[in-house]
Amino acid sequence: MFDPRPSPALGLSRVLLGLLRVLNLVMGALVLLALPATFLFEAQFSEFFSTRPPRIDPSWLLPTLRLWLVLVLPMVAAVHVLLSRLLDVVETVRHGDPFVPENAVRLKTIAWCVLATQVLELGYGAMAATINAAGSNVEWKFSATGWVAVVLLFVLARVFEEGTRLRHDLETMI
C-alpha cells in the first residue's frame, strides 16, 4: 500500500542527485577550460615535467593528458544522463507509482550509461599505463563491480518492463 507521506530518504536523494548533476556539469566546464590550457601553456608544462624529479617525458605526457581530457567529456555526458534519469525514477517513486513503462526505459538508459563509463574506464587504464611509461606514477586498477552493475541494471530494466506489462494485463482484466 502506498504511504502518501514523503520519505526523508527520497527528499535527500533528490537533493543529492541534483547536487551531483551540478557538480558533474561544473567538472565538464572545467575540463573544457583545461583542454585549451594544455596548448596555451604547453611550454610551461614541458619545462615543469622535464626538470622535476622524477623526470616525466612531456612528449608522451601532454598528448595522453589531452586525450584523457577529451575522453572525460563523454564521461560527463553519460553521468549527466544517468543522474537525470535516476532523478526521474526517484520522482515516480515520490509520486507513488514507480512501476511505469518509462522507468523501464530509464533503467535501460542508465544501464547503457554505466556501460559507457565502464568502457571509458578501460581507456583511462590504458592511458594510465602510457603516462606511467613516460615516467609518471598513476594508479589504476580494474574492478568488476561496475560491470556487474551494468548486468544488474539491464536485468532490472527487464524486470520493470515485465512488471509493467503484467500490471497492464491485470488492469485490463479487471
Side-chain angles (χ1 to χ4, degrees):
M1 187 107 205
F2 172 65
D3 184 357
R5 293 173 293 163
S7 164
L10 285 177
L12 183 59
S13 296
R14 289 175 57 220
V15 170
L16 181 61
L17 290 169
L19 179 62
L20 289 172
R21 230 172 33 166
V22 169
L23 290 174
N24 183 59
L25 291 175
V26 167
M27 177 62 71
L30 291 173
V31 167
L32 283 174
L33 292 173
L35 189 57
T38 66
F39 291 98
L40 291 172
F41 300 105
E42 184 170 355
Q44 291 88 342
F45 278 122
S46 294
E47 180 182 335
F48 177 80
F49 287 112
S50 296
T51 58
R52 284 187 60 89
R55 185 183 179 285
I56 300 173
D57 185 356
S59 67
W60 283 51
L61 181 66
L62 282 171
T64 305
L65 174 64
R66 289 177 182 137
L67 179 60
W68 206 316
L69 289 171
V70 167
L71 289 179
V72 167
L73 296 174
M75 177 72 83
V76 168
V79 169
H80 181 74
V81 171
L82 182 154
L83 293 172
S84 298
R85 296 308 174 273
L86 188 53
L87 193 54
D88 292 340
V89 170
V90 168
E91 281 301 307
T92 63
V93 173
R94 192 171 76 89
H95 292 298
D97 195 15
F99 296 102
V100 294
E102 293 83 5
N103 278 351
V105 173
R106 289 174 182 134
L107 284 169
K108 198 175 290 184
T109 301
I110 291 169
W112 282 111
C113 289
V114 174
L115 177 62
T117 64
Q118 289 304 114
V119 170
L120 287 166
E121 182 70 23
L122 290 176
Y124 300 152
M127 286 183 283
T130 302
I131 289 175
N132 289 342
S136 183
N137 186 22
V138 175
E139 288 189 32
W140 180 88
K141 292 182 181 174
F142 176 81
S143 172
T145 306
W147 294 98
V148 171
V150 170
V151 173
L152 175 69
L153 285 163
F154 277 116
V155 169
L156 192 56
R158 184 68 185 117
V159 167
F160 264 71
E161 286 174 348
E162 189 64 18
T164 57
R165 185 190 63 75
L166 290 172
R167 179 180 173 186
H168 175 73
D169 291 350
L170 182 64
E171 288 172 352
T172 57
M173 287 182 6
I174 295 177

